[in-house]
């Protein structure tokens, strides 16, 4: 598909008629901001197309009196949007990637992963505690978070604090913090605060040694119908290769662990000097038991990839190289994509297959290492305790 979008325009006797691309999103302010940013980019890339945003509420938006880990639904923030995709009511959906399960329902794929913003967690303090840190908050201060992952890691690091569930969109949680006098601080994703323009509320950034982040946090994923080649071509130009490979490794790690929001699993990835580093960890619910390891793979990524602008896969191929083990070199599929090109739910048709497989293998290898060292027992106990409370 050419970059000008003409292939998606329909023509009538009176001249060309712009095709309308319908973009699904959640109704929250943050979701709309994220979707608007993606649509703005697509409009610039495809001036011959029109885009219509369709917002809807999801299960996760409606059930606000129960902790996310207790609801027992893997697609809390995606099911209604996927239903609209299936019925052809929308052509693509913009998600926070961390909301998308590592196994998607049949017929769907993640057609693009946009450049990642900060993946870190941030602390927002009650106005009377501005200038404090988690370490300097008074004994038994209550800190709000909807994440078992955050609570488990931070309880271990800051045993003088009490961590309590808080639900709602960012606006709701900030209002609860400021008005209810219950929470001394809340933990939120730094990327969401920045996208909302609330950088001034960030009181502390939690770096990996304090709290590793959720799989995919800070990145946006574009979900589409797997067999809709026109839309896949259209969104593929949004792939950021470094973000893509980091998130493939993270999602493969989580999938192989069979983790989810009901157990504390966290990651940290980085690309430096041609190396993709993945650190992954698991925790008991109270943080008292934990296990983490780091592995790396060689994945060279150029700063700019020719061919992404126009969807050219082969033209970019020789600019990538990778080495993890000799077996993987037989799996590069230089003659073309496999029948099922997805890796952990992602289709990246214009990014070479070899580096993607290296990233996936890295995630699987790290998960296998932790499982062999006893991580399954930690996760099983965490699930049982979470289900029992």
């Amino acid at each position: 598909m050419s970059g000008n979008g003409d292939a998606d325009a329909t023509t009538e006797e009176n001249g060309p008629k712009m095709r309308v691309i319908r973009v699904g999103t959640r109704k929250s302010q943050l979701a709309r901001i994220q979707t608007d940013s993606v649509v703005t980019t697509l409009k610039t890339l495809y001036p011959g197309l029109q885009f219509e945003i369709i917002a809807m509420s999801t299960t996760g938006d409606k059930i606000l009196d129960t902790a996310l880990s207790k609801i027992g639904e893997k697609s809390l923030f995606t099911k209604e949007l996927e239903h609209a995709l299936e019925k052809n009511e929308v052509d693509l959906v913009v998600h926070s990637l961390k909301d998308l399960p590592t196994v998607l329902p049949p017929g769907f794929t993640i057609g693009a992963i946009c450049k990642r913003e900060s993946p870190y967690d941030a602390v927002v303090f009650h106005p009377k505690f501005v200038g404090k840190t988690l370490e300097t908050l008074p004994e038994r201060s209550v800190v709000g978070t909807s994440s078992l992952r955050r609570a488990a890691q931070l309880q271990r690091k800051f045993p003088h604090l009490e961590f309590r569930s808080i639900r709602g969109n960012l606006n709701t949680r900030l209002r609860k913090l400021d008005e209810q006098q219950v929470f001394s601080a809340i933990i939120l994703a730094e990327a969401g605060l920045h996208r909302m323009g609330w950088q001034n509320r960030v009181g502390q950034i939690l770096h990996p040694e304090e709290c590793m982040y959720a799989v995919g946090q800070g990145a946006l994923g574009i979900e589409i119908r797997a067999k809709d080649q026109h839309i896949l071509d259209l969104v593929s130009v949004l792939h950021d290769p470094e973000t893509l490979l980091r998130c493939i490794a993270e999602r493969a790690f989580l999938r192989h662990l069979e983790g989810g929001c009901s157990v504390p699993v966290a990651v940290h990835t980085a690309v430096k000097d041609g190396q993709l580093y993945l650190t992954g960890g698991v925790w008991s619910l109270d943080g008292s038991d934990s296990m983490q390891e780091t592995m790396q793979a060689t994945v060279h990524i150029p700063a700019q990839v020719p061919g992404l602008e126009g969807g050219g896969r082969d033209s970019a191929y020789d600019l990538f190289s990778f080495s993890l083990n000799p077996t993987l070199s037989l799996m590069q599929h230089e003659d073309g994509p496999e029948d099922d090109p997805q890796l952990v739910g992602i289709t990246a048709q214009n990014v070479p297959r070899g580096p993607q497989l290296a990233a996936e293998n890295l995630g699987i290898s790290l998960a296998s290492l932790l499982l062999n060292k006893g991580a399954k027992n930690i996760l099983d106990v965490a699930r049982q305790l979470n289900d029992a409370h």
Side-chain angles (χ1 to χ4, degrees), residues 12 21 47 54 77 80 95 97 120 127 137 163 178 182 198 221 232 254 279-280 294 311 314 323 331 335 342 374:
E12 296 181 345
I21 305 298
I54 299 173
F77 298 105
E80 287 79 5
H95 298 282
L97 185 62
Y120 301 115
L137 279 176
F163 293 88
D178 292 341
V182 172
W198 294 342
L232 179 60
L254 182 65
T279 300
T294 300
D314 294 331
S323 63
M331 302 170 65
D335 294 331
Q342 289 194 37

Side-chain angles (χ1 to χ4, degrees), residues 38 93-98 100 110-114 219-223:
V38 170
V93 177
V94 179
H95 298 282
S96 293
L97 185 62
K98 69 177 181 178
L100 281 167
I110 300 168
I113 296 180
C114 306
L220 301 180
I222 314 301
E223 189 176 18

Side-chain angles (χ1 to χ4, degrees), residues 145-339:
T145 175
S146 59
S147 163
L148 294 180
R149 168 190 61 82
R150 292 169 179 151
Q153 293 181 79
L154 295 173
Q155 279 180 338
R156 184 184 180 97
K157 186 79 174 177
F158 306 103
H160 69 292
L161 301 177
E162 177 186 344
F163 293 88
R164 194 177 299 173
S165 178
I166 184 171
R167 289 290 318 280
N169 58 38
L170 289 189
N171 309 67
T172 300
R173 280 182 268 179
L174 280 176
R175 187 168 62 251
K176 289 179 179 180
L177 170 68
D178 292 341
E179 297 177 3
Q180 290 187 358
Q181 305 298 315
V182 172
F183 299 99
S184 299
I186 58 176
I187 316 292
L188 301 168
E190 184 186 9
L193 289 164
H194 276 245
R195 288 168 181 150
M196 294 285 281
W198 294 342
Q199 294 92 326
N200 64 319
R201 291 304 305 265
V202 175
Q204 181 181 359
I205 303 299
L206 298 175
H207 294 292
E209 60 273 13
E210 297 169 307
C211 186
M212 290 199 294
Y213 43 81
V215 166
Q217 185 160 305
L220 301 180
I222 314 301
E223 189 176 18
I224 64 171
R225 292 178 291 274
K227 295 188 181 299
D228 193 336
Q229 188 64 46
H230 288 297
I231 297 298
L232 179 60
D233 288 342
L234 182 138
V235 301
S236 287
V237 299
L238 300 176
H239 270 303
D240 177 70
E242 180 177 316
T243 302
L244 170 73
L245 297 183
R246 289 173 63 187
C247 290
I248 286 176
E250 293 172 18
R251 287 171 63 84
F253 172 74
L254 182 65
R255 177 192 277 191
H256 199 66
L257 283 178
E258 297 184 348
C261 66
S262 63
V263 290
V265 175
V267 294
H268 174 250
T269 51
V271 175
K272 184 177 180 181
D273 299 328
Q275 297 292 308
L276 172 59
Y277 295 87
L278 170 63
T279 300
V282 300
W283 285 261
S284 59
L285 289 189
D286 63 0
S288 61
D289 198 5
S290 69
M291 184 180 296
Q292 63 185 70
E293 293 286 349
T294 300
M295 293 181 72
Q296 68 191 78
T298 302
V299 184
H300 297 298
I301 310 172
Q304 301 244 330
V305 184
L308 286 182
E309 298 83 2
R313 178 180 181 275
D314 294 331
S315 63
Y317 193 91
D318 59 359
L319 293 179
F320 288 77
S321 64
F322 84 103
S323 63
L324 189 59
N325 60 49
T327 305
L328 281 180
S329 65
L330 301 176
M331 302 170 65
Q332 295 184 36
H333 305 287
E334 295 184 22
D335 294 331
E338 295 179 309
D339 290 339

